[in-house]
Amino acid sequence: MLSKRLIVCLDVRDGKTTKGIRFADNIDVGDPVAMAKQYSLLGADELVFYDITASAEGRSIMLETVRKVAEQIFIPFSVGGGIATIEEMRAVLLSGAEKISINSQAVADPSLIRKGAQHFGSQCIVIGMDVLRAAAMPSGYQVVTHGGRTPTKWDALQWAGQVEQLGAGEIVLNSIDADGTQKGYELTVTKMISEALSIPVVASGGAGNPAHIVEVFSAAHADAALIASIVHYGSYSIAEIKQAMLQAGISTRPIGA
Protein backbone atom coordinates (compact mmCIF):
# COMPACT_ATOMS: atom_id res chain seq x y z
CA MET A 1 0.00 0.00 0.00
CA LEU A 2 1.37 3.40 -0.97
CA SER A 3 1.84 5.84 1.88
CA LYS A 4 -0.61 8.73 1.96
CA ARG A 5 1.11 12.12 2.04
CA LEU A 6 0.45 15.02 4.36
CA ILE A 7 1.32 18.28 2.61
CA VAL A 8 1.49 21.61 4.42
CA CYS A 9 0.43 24.62 2.36
CA LEU A 10 2.06 28.02 2.76
CA ASP A 11 0.07 30.77 1.04
CA VAL A 12 2.41 33.77 0.78
CA ARG A 13 1.46 37.40 0.24
CA ASP A 14 3.90 40.32 0.53
CA GLY A 15 6.53 37.98 1.97
CA LYS A 16 4.31 36.62 4.77
CA THR A 17 2.39 33.38 5.16
CA THR A 18 -1.31 34.26 5.12
CA LYS A 19 -4.59 32.41 5.60
CA GLY A 20 -8.18 33.25 4.82
CA ILE A 21 -11.60 31.69 4.37
CA ARG A 22 -12.77 30.99 0.82
CA PHE A 23 -9.86 33.13 -0.45
CA ALA A 24 -10.98 36.22 1.51
CA ASP A 25 -10.32 38.03 4.81
CA ASN A 26 -6.70 36.91 4.90
CA ILE A 27 -4.53 37.45 7.95
CA ASP A 28 -0.77 37.02 8.26
CA VAL A 29 0.29 33.98 10.30
CA GLY A 30 4.09 33.97 10.08
CA ASP A 31 7.33 33.94 8.13
CA PRO A 32 7.25 31.35 5.32
CA VAL A 33 10.91 30.41 5.59
CA ALA A 34 10.78 29.78 9.34
CA MET A 35 7.47 27.95 9.02
CA ALA A 36 8.78 25.75 6.19
CA LYS A 37 11.76 24.71 8.30
CA GLN A 38 9.56 23.98 11.30
CA TYR A 39 7.06 21.88 9.36
CA SER A 40 9.86 19.95 7.71
CA LEU A 41 11.28 19.08 11.14
CA LEU A 42 7.83 18.22 12.52
CA GLY A 43 7.14 15.52 9.94
CA ALA A 44 5.39 17.04 6.92
CA ASP A 45 5.87 14.84 3.86
CA GLU A 46 5.91 17.78 1.46
CA LEU A 47 5.31 21.52 1.35
CA VAL A 48 3.47 23.69 -1.14
CA PHE A 49 4.41 27.33 -1.49
CA TYR A 50 1.86 29.56 -3.26
CA ASP A 51 2.59 33.18 -4.11
CA ILE A 52 -1.13 33.92 -4.01
CA THR A 53 -1.18 37.38 -5.58
CA ALA A 54 1.36 36.85 -8.38
CA SER A 55 -1.28 36.01 -11.02
CA ALA A 56 -3.65 38.81 -10.04
CA GLU A 57 -0.78 41.32 -9.98
CA GLY A 58 0.66 40.04 -13.27
CA ARG A 59 4.16 39.53 -11.89
CA SER A 60 6.70 36.74 -11.56
CA ILE A 61 7.07 34.66 -8.44
CA MET A 62 9.40 35.75 -5.60
CA LEU A 63 12.40 33.53 -6.31
CA GLU A 64 14.46 34.77 -3.37
CA THR A 65 11.88 33.39 -0.94
CA VAL A 66 11.87 30.10 -2.86
CA ARG A 67 15.66 29.88 -2.53
CA LYS A 68 15.53 30.59 1.20
CA VAL A 69 12.90 27.90 1.73
CA ALA A 70 14.93 25.37 -0.29
CA GLU A 71 17.97 26.03 1.91
CA GLN A 72 16.02 25.19 5.08
CA ILE A 73 14.17 21.98 4.25
CA PHE A 74 14.94 18.43 3.22
CA ILE A 75 11.54 17.34 1.93
CA PRO A 76 10.02 17.90 -1.53
CA PHE A 77 8.23 21.16 -2.16
CA SER A 78 6.28 22.66 -5.01
CA VAL A 79 5.91 26.31 -5.93
CA GLY A 80 3.08 28.12 -7.68
CA GLY A 81 1.88 31.60 -8.45
CA GLY A 82 2.09 33.49 -11.72
CA ILE A 83 4.29 30.93 -13.50
CA ALA A 84 3.46 31.37 -17.18
CA THR A 85 6.53 30.34 -19.22
CA ILE A 86 9.06 27.53 -19.51
CA GLU A 87 11.76 30.02 -18.48
CA GLU A 88 9.90 30.82 -15.25
CA MET A 89 9.45 27.11 -14.56
CA ARG A 90 13.18 26.56 -15.03
CA ALA A 91 13.99 29.45 -12.69
CA VAL A 92 11.77 28.00 -9.95
CA LEU A 93 13.35 24.55 -10.26
CA LEU A 94 16.86 26.03 -10.25
CA SER A 95 15.91 27.92 -7.08
CA GLY A 96 15.40 24.59 -5.33
CA ALA A 97 11.80 23.48 -5.84
CA GLU A 98 11.06 19.91 -6.95
CA LYS A 99 7.71 20.69 -8.57
CA ILE A 100 5.98 23.58 -10.33
CA SER A 101 2.32 24.30 -9.72
CA ILE A 102 0.32 26.08 -12.40
CA ASN A 103 -3.33 27.03 -12.19
CA SER A 104 -4.74 30.11 -13.91
CA GLN A 105 -1.93 30.05 -16.50
CA ALA A 106 -2.71 26.44 -17.42
CA VAL A 107 -6.35 27.31 -18.10
CA ALA A 108 -5.32 30.31 -20.20
CA ASP A 109 -2.78 28.26 -22.17
CA PRO A 110 -3.22 24.47 -21.78
CA SER A 111 -0.19 23.86 -24.03
CA LEU A 112 1.93 25.09 -21.10
CA ILE A 113 1.19 21.77 -19.36
CA ARG A 114 2.49 19.73 -22.28
CA LYS A 115 5.55 21.94 -22.76
CA GLY A 116 6.39 21.78 -19.06
CA ALA A 117 6.09 17.99 -19.00
CA GLN A 118 8.27 17.69 -22.11
CA HIS A 119 10.98 19.94 -20.70
CA PHE A 120 11.08 18.81 -17.08
CA GLY A 121 9.09 15.57 -16.84
CA SER A 122 5.49 14.98 -15.79
CA GLN A 123 6.58 14.47 -12.17
CA CYS A 124 7.49 18.17 -12.00
CA ILE A 125 4.16 19.53 -13.26
CA VAL A 126 1.38 19.97 -10.72
CA ILE A 127 -1.97 21.45 -11.72
CA GLY A 128 -3.77 23.52 -9.13
CA MET A 129 -7.53 23.28 -9.66
CA ASP A 130 -9.86 25.64 -7.80
CA VAL A 131 -13.46 24.49 -8.05
CA LEU A 132 -16.87 25.77 -6.98
CA ARG A 133 -20.19 23.97 -6.83
CA ALA A 134 -22.13 24.77 -10.00
CA ALA A 135 -25.39 22.97 -10.77
CA ALA A 136 -25.16 23.89 -14.47
CA MET A 137 -21.94 21.87 -14.94
CA PRO A 138 -22.12 18.14 -15.84
CA SER A 139 -20.09 17.14 -12.77
CA GLY A 140 -21.72 19.73 -10.54
CA TYR A 141 -18.45 21.65 -10.18
CA GLN A 142 -16.88 24.47 -12.19
CA VAL A 143 -13.21 25.40 -12.52
CA VAL A 144 -12.44 28.98 -11.47
CA THR A 145 -9.17 30.92 -11.69
CA HIS A 146 -7.38 33.93 -10.24
CA GLY A 147 -8.09 32.98 -6.66
CA GLY A 148 -11.73 32.14 -7.34
CA ARG A 149 -12.49 35.46 -8.97
CA THR A 150 -12.83 34.28 -12.57
CA PRO A 151 -15.25 31.54 -13.70
CA THR A 152 -14.16 29.42 -16.66
CA LYS A 153 -15.92 27.31 -19.28
CA TRP A 154 -14.43 24.15 -17.78
CA ASP A 155 -16.31 21.47 -15.93
CA ALA A 156 -14.07 20.16 -13.12
CA LEU A 157 -14.05 16.52 -14.26
CA GLN A 158 -13.48 17.45 -17.91
CA TRP A 159 -10.57 19.75 -17.03
CA ALA A 160 -8.99 17.11 -14.79
CA GLY A 161 -9.06 14.61 -17.64
CA GLN A 162 -7.63 17.19 -20.02
CA VAL A 163 -4.65 18.04 -17.82
CA GLU A 164 -3.84 14.37 -17.29
CA GLN A 165 -3.88 13.86 -21.06
CA LEU A 166 -1.56 16.84 -21.54
CA GLY A 167 1.05 15.33 -19.23
CA ALA A 168 0.48 16.71 -15.75
CA GLY A 169 1.87 14.50 -13.00
CA GLU A 170 -0.44 15.52 -10.17
CA ILE A 171 -3.53 17.61 -9.39
CA VAL A 172 -4.14 19.67 -6.27
CA LEU A 173 -7.92 19.88 -6.08
CA ASN A 174 -9.06 22.81 -3.97
CA SER A 175 -12.70 23.35 -3.07
CA ILE A 176 -13.31 27.07 -2.63
CA ASP A 177 -16.62 26.23 -0.96
CA ALA A 178 -14.68 24.42 1.79
CA ASP A 179 -11.44 26.42 1.79
CA GLY A 180 -10.44 27.67 5.23
CA THR A 181 -13.76 26.67 6.80
CA GLN A 182 -12.25 23.77 8.80
CA LYS A 183 -15.52 21.85 8.28
CA GLY A 184 -14.06 19.04 6.18
CA TYR A 185 -12.99 18.43 2.61
CA GLU A 186 -15.39 18.47 -0.34
CA LEU A 187 -15.59 14.67 -0.60
CA THR A 188 -17.89 14.36 -3.63
CA VAL A 189 -15.66 16.11 -6.17
CA THR A 190 -12.50 14.67 -4.62
CA LYS A 191 -13.76 11.11 -4.97
CA MET A 192 -15.09 11.75 -8.47
CA ILE A 193 -11.76 13.01 -9.78
CA SER A 194 -9.57 10.60 -7.78
CA GLU A 195 -11.45 7.62 -9.22
CA ALA A 196 -11.45 8.99 -12.78
CA LEU A 197 -7.71 9.67 -13.06
CA SER A 198 -4.56 7.58 -12.86
CA ILE A 199 -2.36 10.44 -11.61
CA PRO A 200 -2.30 11.42 -7.92
CA VAL A 201 -4.99 13.78 -6.62
CA VAL A 202 -4.27 15.96 -3.59
CA ALA A 203 -7.34 17.03 -1.61
CA SER A 204 -7.31 20.66 -0.54
CA GLY A 205 -9.64 22.95 1.37
CA GLY A 206 -11.48 22.42 4.63
CA ALA A 207 -9.45 20.27 7.04
CA GLY A 208 -10.39 21.10 10.63
CA ASN A 209 -9.43 17.96 12.54
CA PRO A 210 -7.66 14.62 11.99
CA ALA A 211 -10.98 12.86 11.30
CA HIS A 212 -11.46 15.02 8.21
CA ILE A 213 -8.08 13.88 6.89
CA VAL A 214 -8.80 10.23 7.60
CA GLU A 215 -12.15 10.66 5.83
CA VAL A 216 -10.72 12.15 2.65
CA PHE A 217 -8.31 9.22 2.35
CA SER A 218 -10.76 6.47 3.22
CA ALA A 219 -13.96 7.81 1.66
CA ALA A 220 -12.71 9.93 -1.25
CA HIS A 221 -9.52 7.99 -2.11
CA ALA A 222 -7.24 11.03 -2.26
CA ASP A 223 -3.54 10.31 -2.62
CA ALA A 224 -2.50 13.20 -0.38
CA ALA A 225 -4.10 15.85 1.80
CA LEU A 226 -3.17 19.52 1.87
CA ILE A 227 -3.41 21.15 5.30
CA ALA A 228 -2.98 24.74 6.42
CA SER A 229 -5.22 26.33 9.09
CA ILE A 230 -5.33 23.17 11.19
CA VAL A 231 -1.56 23.37 11.82
CA HIS A 232 -0.93 27.10 11.33
CA TYR A 233 -3.23 27.90 14.26
CA GLY A 234 -1.90 25.06 16.41
CA SER A 235 -5.20 23.16 16.52
CA TYR A 236 -3.42 19.86 15.87
CA SER A 237 0.15 18.78 15.26
CA ILE A 238 1.38 16.79 12.28
CA ALA A 239 2.22 13.99 14.74
CA GLU A 240 -1.38 13.90 16.02
CA ILE A 241 -2.76 13.80 12.48
CA LYS A 242 -0.42 11.00 11.43
CA GLN A 243 -1.25 9.03 14.56
CA ALA A 244 -4.95 9.27 13.68
CA MET A 245 -4.17 8.07 10.16
CA LEU A 246 -2.20 5.08 11.44
CA GLN A 247 -4.95 4.17 13.92
CA ALA A 248 -7.41 4.19 11.00
CA GLY A 249 -5.18 1.82 9.04
CA ILE A 250 -3.95 4.47 6.59
CA SER A 251 -0.32 4.05 5.63
CA THR A 252 1.82 7.16 6.09
CA ARG A 253 5.52 7.94 6.43
CA PRO A 254 6.52 7.79 10.11
CA ILE A 255 7.82 11.03 11.56
CA GLY A 256 11.60 10.94 11.61
CA ALA A 257 11.78 8.39 8.77
Side-chain angles (χ1 to χ4, degrees):
M1 182 188 297
L2 288 176
S3 291
K4 300 293 188 178
R5 292 170 289 144
L6 207 55
I7 304 174
V8 176
C9 178
L10 300 173
D11 287 336
V12 179
R13 179 184 63 180
D14 300 327
K16 295 289 185 182
T17 304
T18 184
K19 196 70 193 83
I21 297 175
R22 299 190 180 101
F23 288 16
D25 301 322
N26 284 60
I27 60 170
D28 292 341
V29 294
D31 171 64
V33 180
M35 292 175 74
K37 181 178 181 180
Q38 183 77 348
Y39 287 132
S40 175
L41 293 171
L42 290 174
D45 297 308
E46 295 182 25
L47 291 173
V48 175
F49 169 93
Y50 290 135
D51 187 341
I52 63 169
T53 56
S55 289
E57 294 171 3
R59 59 171 172 78
S60 297
I61 203 156
M62 293 177 284
L63 291 175
E64 184 57 31
T65 306
V66 177
R67 280 190 284 269
K68 288 178 180 176
V69 169
E71 289 168 0
Q72 296 294 328
I73 68 172
F74 301 96
I75 56 174
F77 81 112
S78 61
V79 173
I83 300 169
T85 66
I86 294 301
E87 291 71 27
E88 288 173 340
M89 289 183 181
R90 182 176 288 109
V92 167
L93 293 172
L94 290 174
S95 295
E98 280 80 15
K99 302 176 186 178
I100 303 132
S101 178
I102 50 177
N103 186 328
S104 303
Q105 291 74 20
V107 175
D109 178 14
S111 71
L112 186 62
I113 303 169
R114 184 180 64 252
K115 292 172 187 173
Q118 289 172 343
H119 277 80
F120 309 113
S122 290
Q123 78 284 350
C124 287
I125 306 302
V126 179
I127 302 302
M129 271 182 65
D130 294 322
V131 302
L132 276 170
R133 293 189 197 100
M137 290 289 170
S139 71
Y141 297 85
Q142 181 178 28
V143 176
V144 292
T145 60
H146 299 88
R149 291 182 291 274
T150 307
T152 75
K153 66 177 182 179
W154 286 102
D155 171 80
L157 186 58
Q158 290 172 338
W159 177 239
Q162 177 81 352
V163 303
E164 179 179 38
Q165 204 169 43
L166 288 168
E170 186 168 85
I171 287 175
V172 175
L173 177 65
N174 185 58
S175 165
I176 294 180
D177 297 299
D179 183 78
T181 64
Q182 299 190 57
K183 294 180 179 179
Y185 294 94
E186 173 51 274
L187 299 177
T188 302
V189 70
T190 304
K191 182 179 181 183
M192 182 190 311
I193 291 177
S194 295
E195 292 181 345
L197 303 187
S198 59
I199 59 175
V201 173
V202 181
S204 173
N209 59 55
H212 291 151
I213 294 156
V214 168
E215 184 180 45
V216 84
F217 287 133
S218 59
H221 309 146
D223 296 279
L226 211 67
I227 55 174
S229 302
I230 185 175
V231 287
H232 292 344
Y233 298 138
S235 305
Y236 296 91
S237 68
I238 292 169
E240 288 173 318
I241 297 167
K242 288 202 165 190
Q243 184 60 32
M245 291 169 62
L246 291 169
Q247 287 175 344
I250 296 165
S251 177
T252 186
R253 181 179 67 91
I255 291 176

